[in-house]
Amino acid sequence: MTLHDLAKELNLSIATISRALSRPEDVAPLTRQRVLAAVHRHGYTPNGTTRSLRTQQTRTIGVVVSDIRNAFFAAVVKAIEDEARANGYTVLICNADEDSAKEEAALQLLLDRKVSGVINCSTGANLDLLHTFQKSGAVLVDFDRESGLKNLDTVVVDNRRGAELATEHLVDLGHRDIATVAGPQHLSNARGRLIGFQDTLRKHNIQVKKSFVQYGNFRQESGYQAAQKLHSLRQPPTALFVANVEMAAGVIAFVRDKGVTIPQEISIVSFDDSFWARYMDPPLTVVAQPVETMGKCTMELLLARLRGGKPAQTKVFMPELIVRRSTCSPARSPR
Amino acid sequence: MTLHDLAKELNLSIATISRALSRPEDVAPLTRQRVLAAVHRHGYTPNGTTRSLRTQQTRTIGVVVSDIRNAFFAAVVKAIEDEARANGYTVLICNADEDSAKEEAALQLLLDRKVSGVINCSTGANLDLLHTFQKSGAVLVDFDRESGLKNLDTVVVDNRRGAELATEHLVDLGHRDIATVAGPQHLSNARGRLIGFQDTLRKHNIQVKKSFVQYGNFRQESGYQAAQKLHSLRQPPTALFVANVEMAAGVIAFVRDKGVTIPQEISIVSFDDSFWARYMDPPLTVVAQPVETMGKCTMELLLARLRGGKPAQTKVFMPELIVRRSTCSPARSPR
DNA sequence: TAACCGAATGTAAAGTTTTACATTGTAACC
DNA sequence: GGTTACAATGTAAAACTTTACATTCGGTTA
């Protein structure tokens, strides 16, 4: 059922039908009624594809996240979507799995679809594609990580500060053998978290052992492996700062497999909070990001940009340490 | 940058450019090379919107779920998306929040977008809209709940069996005062779970008290409220079967707020498993669904349907009881 | 009554791609 | 050499909507 069909049925021109739907005041009341009745009778819906073609805008925002099952991203996406929908935009979610090839595929898809904007949790690769986006007139926003591109809005948490908060907390408890499961260093957030960790230790004159810095890829399995490596060390750490929830999940899986007790044998503090962190055994001490606010803000910036005007800006949100029970003073006294 | 622009630049017709990209063998090797070079040089991407218009297919599948933050749906969506992408389809995710008005908006959006198919976790309202979909030629699949429509593929878990498993487990432990936090009864899965619960109790000659059946809406807050009501009963239950994870989260939040101990004071078994359930305090006894398999299967059915042929079918998956430590025998002896 | 006005409706173009059909040019064959 | 055949490319229509501009027609004004 198209405008054409309706026009024929009602003996009107397609223009009149179109107008009856989009600018009711431009059409005689009686005509409008007839049109509306027919539309309803046939369950007609304008073809969004064609409208996009004609109006040259898809009113769609692409969001590239690493994994929608990750509670952090799920929450962000929800916030983004609510805000988008409220403004008449649709959100297209793509999983990149922290894999630059998949990210490329996702971006290519969004490019094909001529989205109005992209919220990118970049792997840092694919700069060329992102650049193509900008040239195409799409609005780009970096979220969670900085792609390194110029002239785009950026929404991040203060990663160094978050790591400081976490590390400081461990040091305060008396730990000296503190390790970290860091994220991939090509990501700005992972770098920030590692630097915050290292700086804090140095500030307290604690040597940063190389073996105490394990690198993961922000995904669960890598957390498991990192924990494994740390555990097999001659002198394992008494405390651990994990750079994101997913890896923390992996760490916890390993620790449980091994029967290591938290926090007595190892204190754990992780970046990112989630509903479950609170009810875990033991409840997890975490560095929480204001997820909903950040998601909403991201979309607001994007929409503002779309409406034109405003120059690009960077919003840095403050993380918060939530002390629960996965951290305590070390059993063996510090050397 | 459009075909037109490229054509002008290369002094070819748009048809040739189009062919060079979509059916390389129909074009002279040299020409193809020239085209490819230009395409690459300009970062040209065919306009997906227009292509959809021309080919009359969007290669997009809409998925309507209640909340993407719900671990069950997050996992399902991931599985669906992977399978879709592997087959050249894009997935459009919509949140309905178990709210029929929001579901309507979501379906309307998908209708506008002329999606090729819809995977619907229906609230059961909006049958008319779903019907419009079918008339429009889109393929519909019911997931998790049955909309009641005829002639569509359906993927569900055996809800009665799941509830039986859970309830039987509680009865076996010696519980007689068993309550349930049921889902909204207009949803087929919620009905199945309640019936399985009731039948099992009856089978064991246990009276099903009215006050022991609390109804929630499958969302967290309603779990909290239901727990509250059960807790305030003169004679509270010693065991509880919760009909989904989200409500279980609410129940746990309440139970913790009140300082009630699990499982000593109350045994809890919930529908749906998640990574965290295992590491909670105590680890949660659950009825698990084969989430990934179900998600993948759903998409496979949909794609098969899209390719034509196959009549609609219903796949019922078997749930599995995973006993962890949130259930034990009751402290007070059964009356 | 002629001229004009405005409301209601119609006409047609544009947006970009795909593809059936048409055209061109060249090589092969008799 | 003229016909055939085929490969390469071109032409133009179609997909459906929005919208600038054009037309129609009843009524108002001088």
Side-chain angles (χ1 to χ4, degrees):
Chain A
M1 178 68 29
T2 69
L3 281 188
H4 221 95
D5 302 329
L6 285 175
K8 197 179 297 177
E9 175 172 330
L10 297 179
N11 229 329
L12 288 167
S13 72
I14 54 172
T16 304
I17 316 275
S18 175
R19 270 189 295 251
L21 295 172
S22 54
R23 14 185 113 187
E25 68 284 3
D26 274 15
V27 120
L30 182 73
T31 310
R32 178 174 3 137
Q33 273 193 310
R34 287 209 305 143
V35 172
L36 257 35
V39 162
H40 195 254
R41 188 163 55 244
H42 291 99
Y44 165 80
T45 315
N47 185 320
T49 303
T50 311
R51 171 181 288 157
S52 289
L53 173 60
R54 169 67 226 214
T55 61
Q56 294 289 72
Q57 53 165 335
T58 55
R59 292 186 84 79
T60 302
I61 307 295
V63 182
V64 183
V65 296
S66 94
D67 187 347
I68 193 69
R69 287 173 306 180
N70 176 326
F72 171 69
F73 287 120
V76 167
V77 163
K78 171 78 158 93
I80 287 176
E81 219 224 322
D82 285 349
E83 185 68 18
R85 193 83 85 208
N87 286 273
Y89 280 79
T90 303
V91 169
L92 204 50
I93 301 161
C94 300
N95 284 103
D97 288 346
E98 301 288 5
D99 170 344
S100 71
K102 286 201 187 175
E103 181 182 283
E104 181 178 346
L107 289 173
Q108 190 60 57
L109 175 94
L110 297 177
L111 210 43
D112 288 358
R113 300 238 159 193
K114 306 287 178 230
V115 293
S116 311
V118 176
I119 295 173
N120 187 232
C121 305
S122 184
T123 65
N126 304 119
L127 281 212
D128 43 347
L129 262 181
L130 291 177
H131 212 255
T132 309
F133 260 113
Q134 288 191 305
K135 275 197 298 186
S136 82
V139 173
L140 237 57
V141 181
D142 272 351
F143 181 84
D144 192 41
R145 310 116 187 239
E146 294 163 80
S147 66
L149 248 56
K150 289 290 151 221
N151 204 236
L152 40 69
D153 290 302
T154 305
V155 176
V156 287
V157 77
D158 189 332
N159 289 293
R160 284 168 75 148
R161 181 84 192 111
E164 271 169 35
L165 248 27
T167 315
E168 197 82 49
H169 169 62
L170 295 173
V171 171
D172 284 354
L173 286 170
H175 290 277
R176 291 300 174 268
D177 295 327
I178 308 177
T180 186
V181 180
Q185 294 302 297
H186 55 95
L187 301 185
S188 66
N189 57 352
R191 282 199 302 276
R193 291 170 199 186
L194 180 55
I195 290 171
F197 171 77
Q198 292 169 325
D199 283 358
T200 308
L201 290 190
R202 280 198 208 99
K203 185 177 138 202
H204 290 277
N205 293 314
I206 300 173
Q207 190 212 335
V208 184
K209 284 196 209 168
K210 207 145 192 195
S211 60
F212 274 11
V213 178
Q214 291 293 333
Y215 297 94
N217 63 358
F218 271 162
R219 319 212 73 205
Q220 213 180 103
E221 305 72 41
S222 73
Y224 193 98
Q225 286 157 16
Q228 211 160 18
K229 285 206 189 114
L230 290 170
H231 183 72
S232 68
L233 253 34
R234 192 116 41 85
Q235 168 121 41
T238 61
L240 187 52
F241 163 55
V242 188
N244 84 335
V245 239
E246 285 290 292
M247 294 196 298
V251 167
I252 286 161
F254 174 81
V255 164
R256 288 304 194 79
D257 282 359
K258 284 292 162 193
V260 176
T261 60
I262 311 172
Q264 291 77 13
E265 295 177 71
I266 183 132
S267 283
I268 295 182
V269 48
S270 159
F271 225 98
D272 302 333
D273 193 18
S274 82
F275 178 84
W276 302 106
R278 189 167 171 183
Y279 298 109
M280 285 185 61
D281 177 26
L284 232 51
T285 296
V286 299
V287 174
Q289 306 186 44
V291 197
E292 275 78 23
T293 320
M294 287 171 70
K296 185 157 190 249
C297 171
T298 307
M299 196 63 211
E300 281 167 354
L301 284 180
L302 177 30
L303 290 173
R305 213 77 208 295
L306 236 26
R307 295 196 191 101
K310 306 253 179 97
Q313 49 185 307
T314 298
K315 295 254 186 195
V316 180
F317 285 82
M318 277 303 137
E320 189 192 353
L321 178 72
I322 302 180
V323 178
R324 291 201 272 249
R325 297 212 309 277
S326 65
T327 47
C328 73
S329 295
R332 39 174 155 126
S333 62
R335 287 161 302 146
Chain B
M1 179 69 29
T2 69
L3 280 188
H4 220 95
D5 302 328
L6 286 174
K8 197 177 299 177
E9 175 173 328
L10 297 178
N11 230 328
L12 288 167
S13 74
I14 54 172
T16 304
I17 315 275
S18 175
R19 270 189 294 251
L21 295 172
S22 54
R23 14 184 113 189
E25 69 283 3
D26 274 15
V27 119
L30 182 73
T31 310
R32 178 173 3 133
Q33 273 193 309
R34 287 209 302 144
V35 172
L36 258 35
V39 162
H40 195 254
R41 188 163 55 243
H42 293 98
Y44 165 80
T45 314
N47 185 320
T49 303
T50 312
R51 170 181 289 158
S52 289
L53 172 60
R54 167 67 224 215
T55 60
Q56 294 290 71
Q57 54 164 334
T58 55
R59 292 186 85 78
T60 301
I61 307 295
V63 182
V64 183
V65 296
S66 93
D67 187 347
I68 194 68
R69 287 172 306 180
N70 177 327
F72 171 69
F73 287 120
V76 167
V77 163
K78 171 77 159 92
I80 287 176
E81 218 223 322
D82 285 349
E83 185 69 18
R85 192 83 86 210
N87 285 274
Y89 280 79
T90 303
V91 168
L92 203 51
I93 302 161
C94 300
N95 284 102
D97 288 348
E98 300 288 4
D99 170 344
S100 70
K102 286 199 187 176
E103 181 183 283
E104 180 178 345
L107 289 173
Q108 191 59 55
L109 175 94
L110 297 176
L111 210 44
D112 288 358
R113 300 240 159 191
K114 306 287 179 230
V115 293
S116 312
V118 176
I119 294 173
N120 188 232
C121 305
S122 184
T123 66
N126 303 117
L127 280 213
D128 43 347
L129 261 181
L130 291 176
H131 211 256
T132 309
F133 260 113
Q134 288 192 307
K135 276 196 298 185
S136 82
V139 172
L140 237 57
V141 181
D142 272 351
F143 180 84
D144 191 42
R145 308 116 187 240
E146 295 165 80
S147 66
L149 248 56
K150 289 291 152 221
N151 202 236
L152 39 69
D153 290 303
T154 305
V155 175
V156 286
V157 76
D158 189 332
N159 290 294
R160 283 169 76 148
R161 181 83 192 111
E164 270 169 38
L165 249 27
T167 315
E168 197 81 51
H169 170 63
L170 295 173
V171 172
D172 284 355
L173 286 170
H175 291 277
R176 290 300 173 266
D177 296 324
I178 307 177
T180 186
V181 180
Q185 294 302 298
H186 56 94
L187 301 185
S188 67
N189 57 353
R191 281 197 304 275
R193 291 170 198 185
L194 180 55
I195 291 171
F197 170 78
Q198 292 169 326
D199 284 358
T200 308
L201 290 190
R202 281 198 207 98
K203 185 178 137 203
H204 290 277
N205 294 313
I206 300 172
Q207 189 213 335
V208 184
K209 284 196 208 167
K210 206 144 193 194
S211 60
F212 275 9
V213 178
Q214 292 293 333
Y215 297 94
N217 64 357
F218 270 162
R219 319 211 74 205
Q220 212 179 104
E221 305 73 40
S222 72
Y224 193 97
Q225 287 157 16
Q228 210 161 18
K229 284 206 190 114
L230 290 170
H231 183 71
S232 68
L233 253 34
R234 193 114 41 85
Q235 168 122 40
T238 61
L240 187 52
F241 163 54
V242 188
N244 83 335
V245 237
E246 285 289 293
M247 293 196 299
V251 167
I252 287 160
F254 174 81
V255 164
R256 288 305 194 79
D257 282 359
K258 284 291 162 192
V260 176
T261 60
I262 311 173
Q264 290 78 14
E265 295 179 71
I266 184 133
S267 283
I268 295 182
V269 49
S270 158
F271 226 97
D272 302 334
D273 194 17
S274 82
F275 177 83
W276 302 105
R278 189 165 169 184
Y279 298 110
M280 285 186 60
D281 176 25
L284 233 49
T285 295
V286 299
V287 174
Q289 305 186 45
V291 197
E292 275 78 23
T293 320
M294 288 172 68
K296 187 160 189 247
C297 171
T298 307
M299 196 64 211
E300 281 167 355
L301 284 179
L302 178 30
L303 289 172
R305 213 77 208 294
L306 238 25
R307 295 196 191 100
K310 306 254 179 95
Q313 51 185 307
T314 297
K315 295 254 186 195
V316 180
F317 285 82
M318 277 303 137
E320 187 193 354
L321 179 73
I322 301 180
V323 178
R324 291 201 271 249
R325 298 212 307 279
S326 65
T327 47
C328 73
S329 295
R332 39 175 154 122
S333 61
R335 285 163 302 144

